[in-house]
C-alpha cells in the first residue's frame, strides 16, 4: 500500500491513526521512483505523446488562433518548456493567456521551501499534529468553481437571486438580436441577454474570427474562463495542475450542446463572401481549450436535454482515470433560428470546475459542494416522455430534487443547458442552506443531525431525462467544514507591524483593466455594506454559509483573502497595476483612480505597467537560476515593494507556491470575475466599433 492509499483510507475513516502512522513509516523506507519534475523546473518533463495525447484542433472546427499586439512573447531560452510536435501536439499556446515562460523563479521558489504541499504532505502533517481529516475524500469530486448566464441573469449570483425569489424570467423574445426575434407573436420564452455579443480582444482573436465562431462556442468559452477564475485557477495555480506525466494545465473541457442554429442562419443567407461557420459541435470544447491553452481532454457531447449532465459524468470519469487534474464541464443552448421557436423555449450556458475531493482539500480550494455520484444511461421512454427515468435514480435523503420539469419552470425548455442549470441550482441550494419550493421561491433548509447530534450534510439529487430515453444525473452533497482558525501572520510581518497588502490586478488592455478595477471596487463596497448589515441583524444561517464559502469575515480578513486570490489565482496579463494598501478604504480610493484613468502620483500606493509594448523582463531575470531564491527571500522578508517592481517588469513569480495556505476550505476569498468588453459580432451584420463593459 503506497502513501496515497494509506492517507485516502485514513481520511475515509477505515484506518485508525496508529495504523496509518505505522503504515506510513513502513512506506517511507520503501524505494520510490524518481520524482516527476514540476512545470517551471529547469528540466521539465517531455511533452505528452502517444494515443492519449490531446489531438491538434484542425479543420473547420479548429479554435481561432490568438494573435495580435496583445499576445505575450513565446517562451524562449534554456528554461522554456519543450514544444509538443507531431500529429498529437496540443494547440499552440498563444494570445494573452498563454502560460508564462517556464523559468527558474517557480522552480527555485519550490526548492527554497515554498513548494505546494502534495496529498502526502497534508495527510502526514495531519497525523503528526494529531488532527483528524475533515471529510471523506475517496472517489468524491469537489465543485470548486461555478459560472453561468441564464435568463435575466448575467452571472450565478443573479441566477440564485432569481431562484430564491421565484421570479418569472419569461418574455416575448429578444427583438434586438441581429438575427431577429426567434419567437412568433404571442409566444413567450426565457432568453439570455447579449447572446450575439463577444469580446475577441480579451482572448486575443480578431473580430472576423469571432464572427465566424458560433455564439454558443463564444459564450461557453467566456463562462469557462469565469468558472476557472471562480476556482482561482487562471494563474500559477492553473499551471500547477499537472498529470502524472507532468503535463501542465491538465484541465479537461467537457461541453454539452445539441443545436447549431448559427450555421443554419449563415447558410440561409447564401453570402459566399462571408463563408459559413462550422455546423458541428466539435469546436465547442476545442475552442475553449485552445484559447485558454488547456491540455486535458476536450469533448463535446449531444444527448439532448441531458447533454450537460452527460458532460459532467464524462468529466468525472476522466478525473477518475487520471486523464486530467481538473475538469470544466457544462452546457449551452441558444435559440437563434425561428424554425425551433416554441412557447416556453429557454436558453442558458453554465459550467462547473471539478477536482478530486482529496486534491481540492490539499490545494485549499473553496468547495461549493461535493458530487457523490454521477451517471449516464439509456432508459426506454415511458408513456410520459419527460418523466423517462426520472424516478429510477436513488432518492436524495433530503427530498430535494432538480429535474427537467423543475428547471423548465425557471429557465424554460433550455435544451442542452437544462442539466447544468439544474446542477447549479442544486449546488446553490446545498451551499446556501435554502430549499427551492415547487413554485420556485426559497425557504430555509434546516440541517439534519444524527442520533449523536452531529451535523449531517444537505443532499440533493439532480436528474434529467431526454425524450429519446437518455438519462443523466448526479447526487450533490454539502461540504461541511470545521470553523476556520484565525489567519496566521503574513510572511515577513513583524510583531505589531502594520504590513500593507500587495494587491495585483491585470487585464489584456487598459480598457479591460479599468473596467475590472471598477467592478472590484463595486464588489468591495457592497461587501462592506453587507458587513454593516450583518452586524445589525446577526449572521444567521446565511452568514454561516458565507464564512464557509470564504467570502465572509471582517473587512481586514477579506482584504487579505482577496489580495491572496488575485496574486495566486488570476492570470498575469499584459496591462497591470500593483497596489500596496493597508485597508479596504485605501484600496477603494486607488481602484477609483484606475477606473477614472487618472495616472498615479508620486505618493500613490498604485503603480502601473503596460507590457504590450517595450521590453518584458529587461534584466532577463527569468533566465537566471538564482532568481527563484532571490524572490523567495524577498517574500520571506516582506519586501513587497521590490516584489511588485519585479512583477510589473514581467518577471514570472509563482505566488501560489510562495504563500501556500493550509489545506481546507475558506482560505480563498474569491473576487468578482474579470470584465469582458463585449460587442455584437454576427454573421453578415458587421461589428460594433465601441465595446461596452459587461454589467
Amino acid at each position: 500500500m503506497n502513501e496515497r492509499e494509506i492517507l485516502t483510507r485514513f481520511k475515509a475513516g477505515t484506518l485508525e491513526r496508529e495504523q496509518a502512522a505505522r503504515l506510513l513509516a513502513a512506506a517511507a523506507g520503501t524505494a520510490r521512483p524518481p520524482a516527476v519534475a514540476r512545470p517551471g523546473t529547469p528540466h521539465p518533463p517531455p511533452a505528452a505523446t502517444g494515443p492519449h495525447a490531446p489531438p491538434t484542433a484542425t479543420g473547420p472546427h479548429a479554435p481561432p488562433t490568438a494573435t495580435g499586439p496583445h499576445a505575450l512573447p513565446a517562451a524562449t531560452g534554456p528554461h522554456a518548456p519543450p514544444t509538443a510536435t507531431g500529429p498529437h501536439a496540443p494547440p499552440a499556446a498563444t494570445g494573452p493567456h498563454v502560460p508564462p515562460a517556464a523559468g527558474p523563479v517557480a522552480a527555485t521558489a519550490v526548492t527554497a521551501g515554498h513548494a505546494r504541499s502534495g496529498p502526502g504532505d497534508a495527510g502526514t502533517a495531519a497525523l503528526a499534529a494529531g488532527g483528524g481529516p475533515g471529510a471523506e475524500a475517496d472517489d468524491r469530486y469537489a465543485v470548486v468553481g461555478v459560472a453561468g448566464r441564464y435568463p435575466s441573469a448575467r452571472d450565478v449570483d443573479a441566477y440564485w437571486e432569481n431562484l430564491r425569489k421565484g421570479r418569472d424570467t419569461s418574455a416575448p423574445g429578444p427583438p434586438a438580436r441581429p438575427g431577429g426575434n426567434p419567437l412568433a407573436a404571442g409566444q413567450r420564452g426565457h432568453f439570455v441577454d447579449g447572446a450575439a455579443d463577444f469580446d475577441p480582444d480579451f482572448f486575443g482573436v480578431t473580430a472576423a474570427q469571432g464572427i465566424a465562431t458560433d455564439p454558443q462556442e463564444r459564450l461557453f468559452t467566456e463562462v469557462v474562463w469565469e468558472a476557472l477564475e471562480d476556482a482561482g485557477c487562471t494563474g500559477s495555480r492553473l499551471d500547477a495542475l499537472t498529470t502524472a506525466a507532468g503535463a501542465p494545465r491538465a484541465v479537461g473541457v467537457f461541453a454539452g450542446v445539441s443545436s447549431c442554429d448559427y450555421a443554419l442562419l449563415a447558410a440561409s443567407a447564401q453570402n459566399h463572401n462571408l463563408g459559413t461557420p462550422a455546423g458541428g459541435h466539435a469546436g465547442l470544447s476545442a475552442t475553449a481549450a485552445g484559447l485558454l491553452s488547456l491540455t486535458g481532454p476536450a469533448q463535446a457531447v449531444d444527448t439532448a436535454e441531458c447533454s450537460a449532465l452527460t458532460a459532467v459524468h464524462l468529466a468525472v470519469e476522466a478525473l477518475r482515470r487520471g486523464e486530467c487534474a481538473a475538469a470544466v464541464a457544462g452546457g449551452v443552448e441558444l435559440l437563434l433560428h425561428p424554425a425551433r421557436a416554441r412557447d416556453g423555449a429557454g436558453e442558458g450556458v453554465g459550467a462547473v470546475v471539478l477536482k478530486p475531493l482529496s486534491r481540492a482539500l490539499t490545494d485549499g480550494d473553496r468547495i461549493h459542494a461535493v458530487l457523490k455520484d454521477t451517471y449516464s444511461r439509456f432508459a426506454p421512454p415511458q408513456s410520459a416522455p419527460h418523466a423517462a427515468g426520472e424516478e429510477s435514480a436513488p432518492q436524495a435523503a433530503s427530498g430535494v430534487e432538480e429535474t427537467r420539469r423543475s428547471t423548465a419552470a425557471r429557465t424554460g425548455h433550455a435544451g442542452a443547458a437544462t442539466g447544468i442549470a439544474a446542477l447549479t441550482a442544486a449546488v446553490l441550494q446545498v451551499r446556501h442552506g435554502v430549499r427551492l419550493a415547487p413554485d420556485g421561491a426559497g425557504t430555509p433548509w434546516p440541517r439534519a443531525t444524527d442520533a449523536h447530534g452531529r451535523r449531517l450534510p444537505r443532499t440533493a439529487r439532480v436528474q434529467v431525462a431526454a425524450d429519446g430515453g437518455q438519462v443523466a444525473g448526479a447526487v450533490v452533497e454539502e461540504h461541511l467544514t470545521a470553523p476556520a482558525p484565525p489567519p496566521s501572520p503574513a510572511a515577513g510581518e513583524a510583531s505589531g507591524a502594520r504590513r500593507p497588502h500587495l494587491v495585483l490586478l491585470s487585464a489584456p488592455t487598459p480598457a479591460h483593466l479599468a473596467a475590472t478595477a471598477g467592478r472590484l471596487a463595486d464588489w468591495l463596497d457592497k461587501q462592506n455594506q453587507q458587513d454593516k448589515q450583518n452586524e445589525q441583524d446577526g449572521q444567521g444561517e446565511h452568514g454561516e454559509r458565507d464564512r464557509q464559502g470564504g467570502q465572509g469575515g471582517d473587512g481586514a480578513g477579506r482584504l487579505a483573502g482577496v489580495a491572496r486570490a488575485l496574486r495566486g489565482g488570476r492570470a498575469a496579463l499584459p496591462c497591470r497595476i500593483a497596489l500596496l494598501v493597508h485597508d479596504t478604504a485605501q484600496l477603494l480610493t486607488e481602484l477609483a483612480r484606475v477606473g477614472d484613468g487618472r495616472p498615479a502620483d508620486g505618493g500613490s500606493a498604485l503603480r502601473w505597467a503596460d507590457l504590450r509594448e517595450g521590453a518584458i523582463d529587461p534584466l532577463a531575470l527569468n533566465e537566471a537560476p538564482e532568481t527563484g531564491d532571490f524572490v523567495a527571500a524577498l517574500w520571506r522578508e516582506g519586501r513587497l515593494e521590490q516584489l511588485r517592481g519585479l512583477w510589473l517588469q514581467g518577471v514570472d513569480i509563482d505566488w501560489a507556491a510562495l504563500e501556500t495556505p493550509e489545506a481546507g476550505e475558506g482560505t480563498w476569498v474569491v473576487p468578482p470575475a474579470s470584465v469582458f468588453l463585449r460587442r455584437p459580432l454576427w454573421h453578415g451584420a458587421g461589428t460594433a466599433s465601441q465595446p461596452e463593459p459587461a454589467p
Side-chain angles (χ1 to χ4, degrees):
M1 188 183 302
N2 61 31
E3 182 178 331
R4 181 181 292 275
E5 293 172 327
I6 297 168
L7 293 170
T8 297
R9 295 190 181 188
F10 169 64
K11 293 176 182 178
T14 58
L15 283 178
E16 297 294 332
R17 185 180 311 282
E18 293 76 15
Q19 294 175 305
R22 287 196 300 270
L23 290 171
L24 284 171
T30 304
R32 297 182 180 180
V36 177
R38 288 171 50 96
T41 61
H43 304 288
T49 58
H52 302 297
T56 303
T58 59
H61 306 301
T65 303
T67 58
H70 309 310
L72 294 179
T76 57
H79 304 297
T83 301
T85 59
H88 303 297
T94 56
H97 308 300
V98 63
V105 176
T108 49
V110 170
T111 60
H114 295 281
R116 293 182 186 80
S117 299
D121 301 323
T124 305
L127 287 171
E136 183 179 348
D138 59 326
D139 205 35
R140 300 193 182 193
Y141 298 87
V143 179
V144 298
V146 184
R149 299 178 197 170
Y150 297 98
S152 300
R154 65 179 180 269
D155 54 29
V156 169
D157 288 340
Y159 179 52
W160 173 242
E161 190 71 5
N162 289 342
L163 297 179
R164 189 175 63 85
K165 295 185 177 180
R167 289 172 176 159
D168 180 8
T169 61
S170 66
R177 282 192 184 175
N181 188 343
L183 293 186
Q187 292 181 329
R188 294 179 68 85
H190 305 252
F191 294 92
V192 171
D193 295 333
D197 300 344
F198 184 56
D199 184 355
D201 298 330
F202 190 92
F203 295 101
V205 302
T206 66
Q209 289 173 319
I211 290 173
T213 305
D214 189 327
Q216 293 185 135
E217 293 183 23
R218 303 183 325 210
L219 276 178
F220 187 72
T221 298
E222 290 180 352
V223 167
V224 166
W225 178 262
E226 291 171 339
L228 288 170
E229 284 197 332
D230 187 67
C233 288
T234 57
S236 58
R237 296 180 86 229
L238 174 59
D239 300 324
L241 291 173
T242 62
T243 62
R249 293 192 165 214
V251 178
V253 181
F254 300 84
V257 57
S258 59
S259 64
C260 51
D261 292 0
Y262 192 61
L264 295 176
L265 289 171
S268 63
Q270 296 183 349
N271 189 333
H272 301 291
N273 294 328
L274 295 174
T276 302
H281 302 320
L284 192 76
S285 54
T287 294
L291 289 178
L292 305 184
S293 304
L294 307 179
T295 61
Q299 299 176 12
V301 60
D302 180 0
T303 53
E305 289 82 3
C306 54
S307 296
L309 283 177
T310 302
V312 170
H313 177 65
L314 292 175
V316 167
E317 290 298 308
L319 290 169
R320 184 175 285 124
R321 292 190 297 268
E323 295 176 359
C324 48
V328 189
V332 59
E333 177 83 6
L334 292 180
L335 177 60
L336 306 178
H337 199 286
R340 293 201 304 123
R342 62 168 168 159
D343 206 35
E347 297 181 330
V349 54
V352 293
V353 181
L354 305 174
K355 279 185 179 181
L357 179 56
S358 56
R359 174 150 192 170
L361 292 170
T362 300
D363 291 348
D365 291 317
R366 179 179 65 155
I367 299 175
H368 294 275
V370 175
L371 298 186
K372 294 177 59 178
D373 184 32
T374 64
Y375 53 90
S376 176
R377 62 172 182 266
F378 181 82
Q382 307 300 318
S383 57
H386 296 331
E390 287 194 353
E391 302 303 324
S392 59
Q395 294 291 319
S398 64
V400 169
E401 299 183 40
E402 290 296 327
T403 65
R404 179 176 170 184
R405 284 197 193 97
S406 63
T407 305
R410 302 166 187 150
T411 63
H413 299 285
T418 301
I420 193 63
L423 178 63
T424 301
V427 168
L428 294 173
Q429 288 176 82
V430 300
R431 181 186 170 198
H432 289 286
V434 173
R435 186 184 350 225
L436 299 179
D439 63 356
T443 58
W445 185 356
R447 184 185 288 109
T449 57
D450 64 11
H452 302 284
R454 292 175 295 195
R455 300 182 303 162
L456 296 177
R458 301 179 179 96
T459 305
R461 183 185 70 138
V462 183
Q463 184 164 276
V464 172
D467 292 344
Q470 299 96 333
V471 180
V475 177
V476 181
E477 185 178 78
E478 179 187 16
H479 179 61
L480 295 177
T481 61
S488 57
E493 181 176 6
S495 178
R498 189 166 177 259
R499 180 180 182 271
H501 300 278
L502 177 58
V503 179
L504 308 177
L505 205 62
S506 66
T509 70
H512 286 91
L513 185 58
T516 299
R519 174 178 284 180
L520 178 59
D522 292 342
W523 179 82
L524 287 169
D525 185 62
K526 181 179 179 180
Q527 296 295 314
N528 289 343
Q529 296 300 321
Q530 186 63 51
D531 288 343
K532 295 177 182 177
Q533 187 66 39
N534 288 340
E535 291 177 2
Q536 297 175 5
D537 301 340
Q539 291 285 345
E541 180 72 13
H542 294 289
E544 175 192 354
R545 290 309 308 158
D546 285 343
R547 287 195 300 274
Q548 290 187 9
Q551 301 296 87
D554 57 19
R558 181 181 300 110
L559 177 56
V562 167
R564 172 181 290 167
L566 289 173
R567 289 192 297 264
R570 295 291 173 94
L573 303 181
C575 298
R576 306 181 178 187
I577 58 171
L579 308 99
L580 286 173
V581 296
H582 289 90
D583 52 43
T584 304
Q586 186 182 15
L587 177 57
L588 287 171
T589 299
E590 297 300 336
L591 290 175
R593 184 191 304 275
V594 178
D596 294 342
R598 290 176 286 156
D601 56 39
S604 174
L606 168 68
R607 291 180 58 189
W608 303 68
D610 188 342
L611 303 182
R612 295 174 302 168
E613 300 178 359
I616 300 177
D617 183 23
L619 299 179
L621 294 177
N622 286 331
E623 301 300 321
E626 299 83 6
T627 300
D629 289 333
F630 177 52
V631 167
L634 291 175
W635 177 257
R636 287 195 304 270
E637 298 302 322
R639 307 296 185 187
L640 301 183
E641 178 63 50
Q642 288 75 20
L643 284 169
R644 77 165 172 174
L646 292 174
W647 183 76
L648 290 171
Q649 292 178 15
V651 175
D652 299 327
I653 300 177
D654 189 348
W655 299 100
L658 292 176
E659 52 177 347
T660 304
E662 295 181 357
E665 189 184 34
T667 55
W668 289 86
V669 178
V670 180
S674 299
V675 173
F676 295 120
L677 300 180
R678 311 177 75 231
R679 62 181 186 267
L681 293 178
W682 197 264
H683 196 275
T687 62
S689 59
Q690 295 297 327
E692 295 292 337

